[in-house]
Amino acid sequence: MRSSKALRALPAVAAAVLALAGGQAVAAPASGPAQQQAVAARVLTYDASQAAEFKDAVTKGAGIWNTSVANVQLKPVAAGQRANIRIIADDGWPRTATTSLGSGTIYFGRQAVDQGYNTVRISSHELGHILGLPDMKPGPCSSLMSGSTAGVSCTNPNPNAAEKAEVEDNFAAALTGTAATRDLLFVD
């Protein structure tokens, strides 16, 4: 019992010795939930150079996710670097082909835009697939992942609480190295 008291007192003694010697005492890192929050978000880069007229919608969609979740952040790719996410404008229906959690290609289809669907909602929805979310069809406008089933009048580009929580969980697992990889194609 004496030795355990001595061991518990050791950090305080060491701090006092350092203070007397002119050194700096530093607290040990926290463990548990506080330490988990200190882990930096995973940064995913996106290349919107082929997004044509949808570049602004892509930027807004990425910004929505960046303010909605903490475990992952979407940033434009730097010149000369390879992006995790490519966004390509085409004449088909919007769709996303993932190669792993946080990686893949988004085809920003003009067909949905021509039918009246909101471009920022499309961008946020397709980025949701990259972040590991499946379609939730049919669904209400309050669900971003309800996609086209919410109708053209739905302009909500924001994930709901459940969608945010799922992305946070996906990337918490990715930060700890327990996330699974997968190749999927989402056609919205």
Side-chain angles (χ1 to χ4, degrees):
M1 182 155 176
R2 274 185 147 154
S3 63
S4 66
K5 284 183 182 180
L7 286 175
R8 283 190 295 243
L10 191 56
V13 171
V17 168
L18 283 173
L20 292 172
Q24 182 177 1
V26 179
S31 62
Q35 185 182 24
Q36 290 172 351
Q37 288 181 351
V39 174
R42 180 169 170 202
V43 174
L44 301 177
T45 56
Y46 64 89
D47 178 358
S49 64
Q50 297 177 51
E53 69 269 28
F54 305 121
K55 284 182 185 178
D56 187 52
V58 170
T59 300
K60 288 178 181 175
I64 288 167
W65 278 109
N66 288 343
T67 60
S68 297
V69 295
N71 285 343
V72 63
Q73 292 290 288
L74 302 167
K75 305 288 182 196
V77 69
Q81 291 184 332
R82 183 182 168 131
N84 302 102
I85 307 160
R86 291 180 45 225
I87 299 102
I88 301 169
D90 74 0
D91 292 328
W93 192 259
R95 61 206 179 277
T96 297
T98 62
T99 53
S100 65
L101 180 64
S103 297
T105 302
I106 295 172
Y107 298 91
F108 206 118
R110 292 181 180 96
Q111 185 178 358
V113 176
D114 292 345
Q115 290 179 20
Y117 288 96
N118 180 275
T119 58
V120 178
R121 179 173 167 84
I122 293 169
S123 174
S124 293
H125 175 92
E126 298 304 330
L127 287 167
H129 289 314
I130 294 287
L131 301 176
L133 298 177
D135 285 316
M136 300 301 289
K137 295 180 179 183
C141 184
S142 60
S143 168
L144 174 63
M145 299 315 292
S146 67
S148 63
T149 63
V152 294
S153 63
C154 178
T155 60
N156 171 33
N158 300 299
N160 64 28
E163 293 162 337
K164 292 176 192 179
E166 188 171 344
V167 168
E168 293 286 40
D169 287 348
N170 290 344
F171 283 88
L175 289 170
T176 61
T178 59
T181 60
R182 58 192 169 180
D183 292 342
L184 298 172
L185 174 64
F186 297 96
V187 178
D188 301 305

